[in-house]
Amino acid sequence: MNIISLISTVLAGIFFFIIYFRLFNFILDYIIKYKIISHRYENSIRSIIFIAPAFLVLFTFILFPVFETIRLSFYDKFGREFIGFENYLWAIKDNEFRRSILNNLGWLLIVPTLSTFFGLVIANLTDRIWWGTIAKSIIFMPMAISFVGAGVIWKFIYDYRGIDDQQIGLLNAIVVSFGLEPQAWLTIPIWNNLFLMAIMIWIQTGLALVIFSAALRGIPKETLEAARIDGASEFRIFWSIIIPFLEQTILVIWTIITILVLKVFDIIYAMTNGQWQTEVLANLMYDWMFRGGGDSGRGSVLAFCIMIGVIPILAWNLYRHRNEQST
Amino acid sequence: MSEINIKKINKYYGSNHIIKDVSLDIKSQSFTVLVGPSGCGKSTILRMIAGLEDINSGTIAIDGTVVNDLAPKQRNIAMVFQSYALYPHMTVFNNMAFGLKLEKRSKDEIEERVHEAAKILQIEDYLQRKPKQLSGGQRQRVAIGRAITRKPKVFLFDEPLSNLDAALRVQMRVELAKLHDQLDATMIYVTHDQTEAMTMADEIVVLDQGIISQSGGPMQLYNNPSNLFVGGFIGSPKMNFINTKILSSNSKGTKVDLFGSSDIVIPKTSKTSSSGDQVTLGVRPEHLLVNKKSSSSWESKVFVVEKLGSGTFLYLEKEGEPLVVETEGDSKIKVGDSVKVGFDPDKCHLFDSSNNSFT
Ligand SMILES: Nc1ncnc2c1ncn2[C@@H]1O[C@H](COP(=O)(O)OP(=O)(O)OP(=O)(O)O)[C@@H](O)[C@H]1O
Ligand SMILES: [Mg+2]
């Protein structure tokens, strides 16, 4: 029964949109034909007709929740009473909030930079060896794994057993084989953040690598050869020719990963659950929203902070995109 | 001083034998042009000289030093690519200065050399522009400028003018010839345009499927092609070829059949051919005479008339053999007319069944 109603809903939806587009298209053609509206507006009106449904859907499912979140951030934990800026004042004074902001900043600085850097360097190196494609596939593989899955894999690397037990964590096994003390890596503050970031870098390098490999193909072979004849070393060619050539791609990848990192949640949730000072905004938000009865006010403040973080990056991206089109 | 000696070089791509035992001596300060149809291996030879392509066997020596194992930058050469291959994010100035910066020249010297080159090429006004803000011809000049600032011993040009329009091509041709006089460098120039080859070269090397078909001065190749391929390749429009056979021969010349209706004695001989052999008679369009008195002539119908102003090309047919004839520019001949065609036996070529020329 359920399946049948699902299918009929989908069909009705499709049917509705077909009717919608046909009808409005027809009306517009009619209007234009009898010169009710000048021909000049035809294109812009037609694009409005076609964009409107998508825009409405986006508006309902993205913009509406945004406004709702902002509204809730001014209300109490049950979303009933208006309490002004109280939730915000709480956040500013809260230690965990500050720690999260710092951690987020650390993630933002380190992960996109290193992923882009590794992706670029590896893309370049794998282009020169016969087993490059195999190497690339292996490095890309983590992209296919969910963040939680990645967390499980990396648990085996950072795992710590009591000092007398056999160490099954890869890192500790190495440390012990050098005759050093095994460590509970994920509990060492500050450093444990870096260990968590390593996971994200491990995943995102694959993405950067694939996109850079494709972009590298776009560099004319003769330009590189000209540089070689001009006397440039391989490193110089990389630095003075390849990097400027890939500038746009580097920026795109860097932004993609930055936005992704701003929302980082799963890895921390799976590995430390924010303990030992590894808290980031998304995890803190989750904690306040859904744990211990939930506090929609404070949760919304945190969600709002994440959104504020994304906006400048998106705005800058749009600005750059427009500039690119105009040149 | 910078002569180039190529000895029996070979190049394979996988199992494809691309360059076959090519040997070539290029004199210091000469202008050598490599010509040949597309895919014959011109670029490959140039790239092997530049060091961009490995040599499978044989040696290349520049100034007496074997350079097989030297990197491009150690060979003191510069190359101009067909696609210009400018550095897109650098200004024209930096494009031209890049090589000098890598040589760690002083700022003043770089300034001076770039401006000097820019002056020769008349691109001084564009030095602060990026390549994409230039026209094709300007880009081409920047590419040449990039080559000359480094003052190399040897210049390699790979079809540098093929992307330009006809007028610009003629202009650049003259500029390159001037440049060659000014710079005293050895230049090797690849093209498949035989006009460029004829006008610019001291020495033309005609390549055919990876082997040197003939090399020599432009007029030598024009007047005495050593085989059918060179005969057909040099000259525009192409030399006319007429299939025929030897009627008789003696030490003074060879008598061949002409369309089954008459015969002609060509003052050329070959030791390997005798009466009855199939041969090809070659005669250039500009050596065929229209409506003029000559020893052997015949009537032909005109199919196409191409007026170029300076001359007129008539496309004819005789006994299934297509013929092109050049006549004067103000000719009144129209399509459908019958014309009387004849020729001077001294200007004819004969090629035997293995395509070698009679001498
Ligand atoms: N990287 C390559 N791998 C395999 N075959 C190649 C490669 N480069 C060139 N070839 C082959 O070598 C032959 C000679 O190529 P080359 O580029 O020297 O021709 P060319 O004479 O410069 O022709 P064009 O006038 O079209 O530039 C061609 O048949 C081409 O298919
Ligand atoms: Mg070529």
Side-chain angles (χ1 to χ4, degrees):
Chain A
M1 271 333 265
N2 257 343
I3 288 187
I4 292 172
S5 66
L6 187 72
I7 291 176
S8 49
T9 314
V10 169
L11 286 181
I14 294 173
F15 188 67
F16 168 78
F17 278 107
I18 292 176
I19 299 278
Y20 167 85
F21 286 126
R22 284 270 155 166
L23 187 70
F24 277 90
N25 223 13
F26 176 77
I27 294 176
L28 185 65
D29 284 345
Y30 183 85
I31 289 176
I32 299 288
K33 197 170 158 198
Y34 291 98
K35 305 233 158 64
I36 298 170
I37 299 181
S38 152
H39 201 71
R40 267 187 299 154
Y41 302 117
E42 182 180 345
N43 269 340
S44 51
I45 293 179
R46 207 180 292 278
S47 38
I48 288 173
I49 290 174
F50 278 83
I51 288 171
F55 185 79
L56 279 179
V57 169
L58 269 185
F59 182 82
T60 339
F61 292 104
I62 294 186
L63 284 188
F64 176 71
V66 167
F67 290 124
E68 185 61 10
T69 305
I70 295 174
R71 189 186 68 82
L72 277 177
S73 71
F74 293 103
Y75 280 74
D76 72 353
K77 79 192 263 191
F78 306 109
R80 291 191 197 123
E81 253 172 82
F82 182 80
I83 54 171
F85 281 96
E86 209 143 296
N87 287 325
Y88 289 88
L89 290 175
W90 158 82
I92 292 169
K93 287 192 204 123
D94 187 58
N95 269 337
E96 271 189 77
F97 176 76
R98 290 190 203 162
R99 161 111 317 216
S100 304
I101 296 261
L102 276 184
N103 282 347
N104 259 122
L105 282 178
W107 277 80
L108 284 177
L109 279 180
I110 295 172
V111 176
T113 314
L114 285 189
S115 306
T116 312
F117 174 78
F118 285 135
L120 187 55
V121 171
I122 295 172
N124 238 286
L125 296 179
T126 46
D127 254 9
R128 289 151 207 264
I129 43 179
W130 63 265
W131 48 279
T133 328
I134 304 168
K136 270 190 265 187
S137 320
I138 293 174
I139 295 169
F140 184 69
M141 213 103 76
M143 277 301 289
I145 302 172
S146 73
F147 287 170
V148 177
V152 173
I153 293 174
W154 281 74
K155 273 226 157 118
F156 287 113
I157 292 179
Y158 296 140
D159 198 76
Y160 171 74
R161 293 292 154 100
I163 193 117
D164 301 321
D165 273 340
Q166 186 75 19
Q167 294 300 334
I168 67 158
L170 185 67
L171 203 53
N172 273 329
I174 293 172
V175 166
V176 169
S177 76
F178 278 107
L180 302 169
E181 291 262 298
Q183 302 284 332
W185 302 104
L186 293 177
T187 64
I188 314 170
I190 316 271
W191 289 100
N192 52 8
N193 277 307
L194 297 179
F195 296 137
L196 294 178
M197 290 177 203
I199 304 173
M200 190 65 136
I201 295 171
W202 176 69
I203 297 173
Q204 296 306 324
T205 298
L207 172 77
L209 169 68
V210 169
I211 299 178
F212 280 133
S213 293
L216 277 177
R217 298 277 141 76
I219 304 182
K221 190 169 133 242
E222 296 193 334
T223 306
L224 301 178
E225 287 173 346
R228 214 157 283 149
I229 289 178
D230 261 349
S233 63
E234 291 304 312
F235 178 76
R236 189 64 198 249
I237 291 175
F238 181 65
W239 188 251
S240 302
I241 312 287
I242 294 179
I243 290 196
F245 216 100
L246 296 182
E247 192 188 278
Q248 294 299 327
T249 320
I250 291 174
L251 285 177
V252 168
I253 291 182
W254 191 82
T255 359
I256 292 177
I257 300 180
T258 301
I259 291 175
L260 214 116
V261 162
L262 202 60
K263 302 182 298 186
V264 61
F265 169 78
D266 327 40
I267 290 178
I268 290 160
Y269 186 73
M271 299 291 284
T272 63
N273 198 8
Q275 300 171 80
W276 310 296
Q277 304 180 19
T278 55
E279 200 77 281
V280 294
L281 282 175
N283 290 79
L284 200 60
M285 177 193 84
Y286 180 84
D287 279 353
W288 279 104
M289 276 288 196
F290 304 113
R291 291 233 171 111
D295 183 331
S296 63
R298 292 181 178 181
S300 296
V301 168
L302 296 166
F304 185 61
C305 285
I306 298 176
M307 198 182 75
I308 297 284
V310 181
I311 285 174
I313 302 170
L314 284 183
W316 177 67
N317 235 16
L318 279 180
Y319 166 80
R320 207 172 46 76
H321 193 67
R322 185 167 306 169
N323 268 10
E324 219 170 282
Q325 279 181 335
S326 64
T327 50
Chain B
M1 285 296 112
S2 45
E3 61 177 348
I4 299 173
N5 305 98
I6 298 175
K7 276 211 191 73
K8 285 186 167 279
I9 53 168
N10 281 284
K11 176 78 192 172
Y12 296 84
Y13 281 119
S15 60
N16 293 343
H17 199 172
I18 302 294
I19 303 296
K20 300 159 190 160
D21 260 341
V22 166
S23 296
L24 183 62
D25 291 314
I26 293 166
K27 284 194 215 72
S28 185
Q29 295 173 17
S30 67
F31 197 112
T32 302
V33 174
L34 300 180
V35 281
S38 190
C40 68
K42 306 177 296 285
S43 299
T44 307
I45 291 182
L46 208 63
R47 293 165 56 80
M48 287 199 284
I49 298 173
L52 296 171
E53 214 72 67
D54 289 336
I55 302 165
N56 291 122
S57 72
T59 59
I60 294 180
I62 300 178
D63 253 354
T65 324
V66 173
V67 295
N68 283 29
D69 297 323
L70 294 187
K73 63 176 166 186
Q74 294 164 310
R75 300 188 182 195
N76 202 355
I77 46 144
M79 182 154 170
V80 178
F81 294 87
Q82 180 173 355
S83 61
Y84 318 136
L86 298 176
Y87 312 129
H89 54 279
M90 295 186 195
T91 59
V92 168
F93 182 93
N94 284 332
N95 260 284
M96 290 166 62
F98 189 63
L100 296 174
K101 282 182 190 160
L102 292 171
E103 287 174 12
K104 305 234 163 15
R105 305 268 171 189
S106 73
K107 249 202 156 94
D108 294 341
E109 189 179 357
I110 294 178
E111 263 316 293
E112 189 191 311
R113 285 224 213 159
V114 171
H115 280 108
E116 192 182 81
K119 198 166 167 192
I120 296 177
L121 296 164
Q122 298 169 11
I123 47 175
E124 284 166 299
D125 294 343
Y126 317 123
L127 284 178
Q128 292 316 318
R129 290 206 203 164
K130 294 269 176 73
K132 70 172 173 207
Q133 298 165 310
L134 300 176
S135 74
Q138 290 162 344
R139 282 180 213 183
Q140 191 58 70
R141 276 179 279 175
V142 176
I144 294 170
R146 184 170 64 181
I148 64 182
T149 47
R150 284 180 38 231
K151 304 197 172 156
K153 286 191 289 190
V154 178
F155 282 91
L156 306 172
F157 295 95
D158 193 352
E159 307 197 26
L161 309 186
S162 59
N163 287 344
L164 306 183
D165 69 47
L168 206 55
R169 205 181 296 182
V170 173
Q171 184 195 337
M172 288 301 294
R173 219 155 68 192
V174 176
E175 281 177 31
L176 275 179
K178 260 198 272 175
L179 208 61
H180 180 231
D181 285 343
Q182 282 173 25
L183 296 178
D184 295 332
T186 308
M187 292 190 172
I188 305 177
Y189 188 100
V190 163
T191 178
H192 57 237
D193 178 320
Q194 54 87 31
T195 320
E196 266 171 39
M198 290 296 282
T199 51
M200 299 169 83
D202 296 326
E203 174 118 343
I204 297 180
V205 178
V206 182
L207 283 170
D208 180 23
Q209 295 176 22
I211 47 179
I212 294 181
S213 212
Q214 188 180 2
S215 65
M219 288 320 285
Q220 185 191 346
L221 264 57
Y222 178 82
N223 289 326
N224 300 308
S226 68
N227 56 50
L228 190 83
F229 178 79
V230 176
F233 195 81
I234 301 287
S236 165
K238 255 179 85 166
M239 184 186 275
N240 293 300
F241 292 123
I242 301 161
N243 291 318
T244 176
K245 62 176 192 289
I246 301 180
L247 296 177
S248 66
S249 63
N250 59 31
S251 61
K252 289 230 192 68
T254 309
K255 189 179 196 184
V256 297
D257 173 67
L258 203 57
F259 305 124
S261 54
S262 65
D263 52 52
I264 183 170
V265 178
I266 311 287
K268 289 193 164 128
T269 56
S270 160
K271 292 204 175 66
T272 53
S273 299
S274 52
S275 299
D277 282 2
Q278 289 290 329
V279 289
T280 306
L281 175 66
V283 54
R284 298 189 184 280
E286 55 271 37
H287 296 152
L288 281 170
L289 308 167
V290 178
N291 294 342
K292 289 210 182 85
K293 241 177 85 84
S294 62
S295 52
S296 35
S297 58
W298 67 89
E299 292 264 314
S300 263
K301 211 166 158 199
V302 179
F303 281 98
V304 177
V305 177
E306 273 183 4
K307 287 202 175 287
L308 299 182
S310 61
T312 304
F313 294 117
L314 308 176
Y315 290 76
L316 323 167
E317 199 189 272
K318 177 74 180 172
E319 310 293 326
E321 305 270 1
L323 287 175
V324 187
V325 183
E326 185 178 357
T327 182
E328 60 278 3
D330 52 4
S331 157
K332 298 275 186 299
I333 299 167
K334 298 189 299 294
V335 173
D337 289 357
S338 264
V339 292
K340 214 172 113 207
V341 184
F343 52 77
D344 178 358
D346 285 343
K347 302 268 172 133
C348 286
H349 306 274
L350 275 180
F351 304 99
D352 65 19
S353 50
S354 46
N355 293 340
N356 290 317
S357 177
F358 283 45
T359 46

